[in-house]
Amino acid sequence: MSGVILTLLEHPNASLGLLAASERLAELLGGARIEVLAVRMPPEATILPSEEVLTKRRAYYIRDREDVRISALRTAFDDWSGWGHAEGVSAEWHDLESLVDAAIKDWGMHADVIVLRRPTGHDRLPARHEIHTALFETDRPVLVVPPDAPASFGRRVAIAWRNDRQAIQAVLSALRWQTAPERVFVIAGVAPGSPTPTLPDILLEHGIAAELHILPIGGGVFGEALLAKARELRADMLVMGAYRHSPLREVLLGGVTRYMLGHADLPILMRH
């Protein structure tokens, strides 16, 4: 099955890792066209509320700076493309000037999966808005790639399970893979006094052999416990729903979603 993957490149140092993750995802899908997107910031988008006009000097400076950044991204893309791709995998380069949020929304709705780098603690708020846009405004699964992600993920997959629409949608996205994982782990959080869960019906219906692991809820940050359990199981990828508790962007994400976007050291396939 062939699909379309949208990969956003922003920082030259992170580009090769994102491109490698995109190619691995394309292999799992059984082939895909990777649409690589490099977005130039419009000079007018940099005007602060206290500024009245954008000077020509400032506009030239911003465009020169963006030219340097985009050129470095294109070099990384060309280097990666020069190594060749697996059968059924192709890539196309796209360079445009736009607000990044708008580009992700417009292009992402036409893709099967969106690939973004995981924000770091040094990122400013706009970088986090990009994740929010991809997760909550495109209705597409999003692969969030951390720095130093494993080169060949998808063999030992952990599923953070909640019996709700978000988790089911995330699992359905992973079920599209043509290459089945070697091991599947279902990690289910259980609050005190709650009934013990069983393996999700959606996995049983698709004939997926999985191991169920119960994780108590309470007495700490559940996201931290979930990530620690995934590491203990030597999972190389996490599949989970994405949640938000408020329509305000500054407090948009649910606790586990927010924790994973801040700390996960393995690729996460998320869907709202």
Side-chain angles (χ1 to χ4, degrees), residues 3 10 27 40 70 102 154 160 189 191 210:
E10 295 180 283
E27 293 172 358
R40 299 171 183 266
I70 299 298

Side-chain angles (χ1 to χ4, degrees), residues 2-8 25 29 32-37 103-115 134 138-142 173 176 271:
S2 182
V4 176
I5 297 170
L6 177 67
T7 301
L8 177 70
L25 179 60
L29 288 170
R33 183 177 75 254
I34 304 170
E35 303 282 1
V36 179
L37 190 61
I104 290 174
K105 185 174 181 179
D106 291 345
W107 287 68
M109 288 190 294
H110 301 286
D112 294 290
V113 188
I114 301 170
V115 177
T138 69
D139 192 29
R140 294 294 183 268
V142 179
S173 299
R176 287 196 58 204
R271 189 162 189 180

Side-chain angles (χ1 to χ4, degrees), residues 135-136 138-140 160-173 202 239-244 270-272:
L135 286 173
F136 302 116
T138 69
D139 192 29
R140 294 294 183 268
W161 180 250
R162 287 173 59 171
N163 190 21
D164 58 19
R165 182 183 64 84
Q166 289 90 338
I168 291 172
Q169 291 287 354
V171 171
L172 282 172
S173 299
I202 190 171
V239 175
M240 61 179 286
Y243 304 87
R244 57 180 174 180
M270 292 180 148
R271 189 162 189 180
H272 177 59

Side-chain angles (χ1 to χ4, degrees), residues 59-241:
Y60 286 143
Y61 167 77
I62 293 168
R63 285 206 161 94
D64 286 345
R65 183 187 64 189
E66 289 295 86
D67 282 344
V68 171
R69 184 176 67 88
I70 299 298
S71 177
L73 296 177
R74 182 58 196 254
T75 297
F77 173 81
D78 289 341
D79 289 346
W80 169 73
S81 296
W83 302 337
H85 302 305
E87 184 178 355
V89 179
S90 63
E92 296 183 12
W93 169 266
H94 303 277
D95 171 355
L96 69 153
E97 183 175 278
S98 171
L99 295 176
V100 179
D101 284 12
I104 290 174
K105 185 174 181 179
D106 291 345
W107 287 68
M109 288 190 294
H110 301 286
D112 294 290
V113 188
I114 301 170
V115 177
L116 300 174
R117 70 181 182 90
R118 179 175 68 76
T120 68
H122 302 294
D123 280 318
R124 293 180 297 174
L125 196 57
R128 302 179 185 278
H129 285 175
E130 295 158 14
I131 292 278
H132 301 163
T133 298
L135 286 173
F136 302 116
E137 297 186 33
T138 69
D139 192 29
R140 294 294 183 268
V142 179
L143 181 68
V144 182
V145 181
D148 303 320
S152 186
F153 55 85
R155 289 187 168 88
R156 298 175 63 90
V157 177
I159 299 171
W161 180 250
R162 287 173 59 171
N163 190 21
D164 58 19
R165 182 183 64 84
Q166 289 90 338
I168 291 172
Q169 291 287 354
V171 171
L172 282 172
S173 299
L175 288 175
R176 287 196 58 204
W177 297 349
Q178 298 298 295
T179 303
E182 297 169 3
R183 301 278 294 276
V184 177
F185 310 100
V186 175
I187 305 174
V190 179
S194 298
T196 301
T198 58
L199 284 173
D201 289 341
I202 190 171
L203 295 181
L204 298 175
E205 291 164 359
H206 285 81
I208 304 297
E211 304 171 22
L212 179 63
H213 295 266
I214 305 301
L215 198 59
I217 297 176
V221 178
F222 184 73
E224 183 176 8
L226 174 61
L227 185 56
K229 187 64 177 180
R231 290 169 178 157
E232 177 188 323
L233 295 170
R234 295 188 292 116
D236 58 25
M237 186 178 192
L238 181 66
V239 175
M240 61 179 286

